[in-house]
Amino acid sequence: MTQRAQGRKLAILAADGFEQIELTSPKEAIENAGGETTIVSLKHGTIQANKHREHGDTFKVDMTLDDAKAEDFDALLIPGGLFSPDTLRTNQKAKDFTSAFFRQMKPVFAICHGPQLLISANLVNGREMTGFPAIQQDLKNAGARVLDQSVVVDSGLVTSRSPEDLGDFNAKIVEEICEGKHAEQRQSVTA
């Protein structure tokens, strides 16, 4: 395996109820490319994954949002699942942490229901995106231009629909984190 992401640090923002494969597969892709990953959450201890609607494994939280700073990372991953994005979207620290990556022009990756956090942080207006079919109308209502394809890349913002798209999503994650900052990355534009 090539170590092209060596020295790159990926923050993975998740809470209880994230879709397990949407965290583990991108995490493995970055680590296999030589990068580092840090699981960031709301509380210390562990967070519970889901495998579809069943409980999955628990994962150790490396850092809480109280201690995490966007400037310490090169990119952000927001896994989906039914519950994690819904919890994070109502947490101001999660929204602020996510917004900081956009202000710092760093890549942000969101899959499945993960873009719900971006909606609540007012980060999708004018952006080309995708997400799980159930949230595509929510993205449109928030001002995004929604494309129904495996991966959509818009100036450092990378979104994907579901676990079936992880091959394409992971390849783009590694590519984008290696590219670094994107001058066109922005919080939002007027529609």
Side-chain angles (χ1 to χ4, degrees):
M1 272 287 159
T2 177
Q3 296 293 294
R4 66 187 199 144
Q6 189 166 4
R8 302 289 184 171
K9 296 179 181 179
L10 175 69
I12 303 172
L13 180 58
D16 289 327
F18 65 92
E19 186 63 34
Q20 183 165 321
I21 193 71
E22 294 173 359
L23 182 148
T24 58
S25 182
K27 181 180 191 307
E28 183 178 293
I30 287 295
E31 290 173 353
N32 285 343
E36 300 174 32
T37 61
T38 301
I39 296 176
V40 178
S41 194
L42 304 173
K43 60 184 174 79
H44 293 283
T46 61
I47 49 176
Q48 176 71 55
N50 280 0
K51 291 183 177 179
H52 303 290
R53 295 177 190 235
E54 305 293 322
H55 280 307
D57 299 325
T58 58
F59 289 79
K60 180 186 175 294
V61 172
D62 299 310
M63 184 178 291
T64 67
L65 280 169
D66 289 330
D67 299 318
K69 295 182 175 107
E71 54 264 24
D72 295 334
F73 299 97
D74 297 295
L76 173 66
L77 168 66
I78 306 164
L82 290 174
F83 304 107
S84 176
D86 199 50
T87 297
L88 294 172
R89 74 186 303 182
T90 61
N91 183 284
Q92 191 60 49
K93 287 180 184 176
K95 292 187 283 190
D96 291 345
F97 182 65
T98 302
S99 295
F101 282 86
F102 283 80
R103 284 192 307 276
Q104 294 172 25
M105 299 177 285
K106 295 178 179 177
V108 174
F109 317 118
I111 186 169
C112 192
H113 288 76
Q116 288 178 315
L117 172 56
L118 304 178
I119 292 169
S120 293
N122 297 314
L123 299 168
V124 307
N125 188 32
R127 303 302 296 262
E128 282 192 350
M129 301 178 69
T130 195
F132 194 72
I135 71 159
Q136 287 183 7
Q137 187 61 50
D138 298 332
L139 287 167
K140 289 177 187 174
N141 291 346
R145 294 184 304 275
V146 177
L147 304 172
D148 187 23
Q149 54 194 51
S150 64
V151 175
V152 175
V153 181
D154 181 355
S155 299
L157 174 60
V158 180
T159 51
S160 191
R161 297 176 300 197
S162 71
E164 288 77 27
D165 301 324
L166 279 167
D168 294 339
F169 187 56
N170 291 345
K172 275 296 176 190
I173 287 174
V174 172
E175 178 184 324
E176 294 292 317
I177 199 170
C178 290
E179 286 181 6
K181 291 186 179 186
H182 289 70
E184 297 82 24
Q185 178 72 294
R186 62 201 183 283
Q187 281 197 242
S188 180
V189 296
T190 305

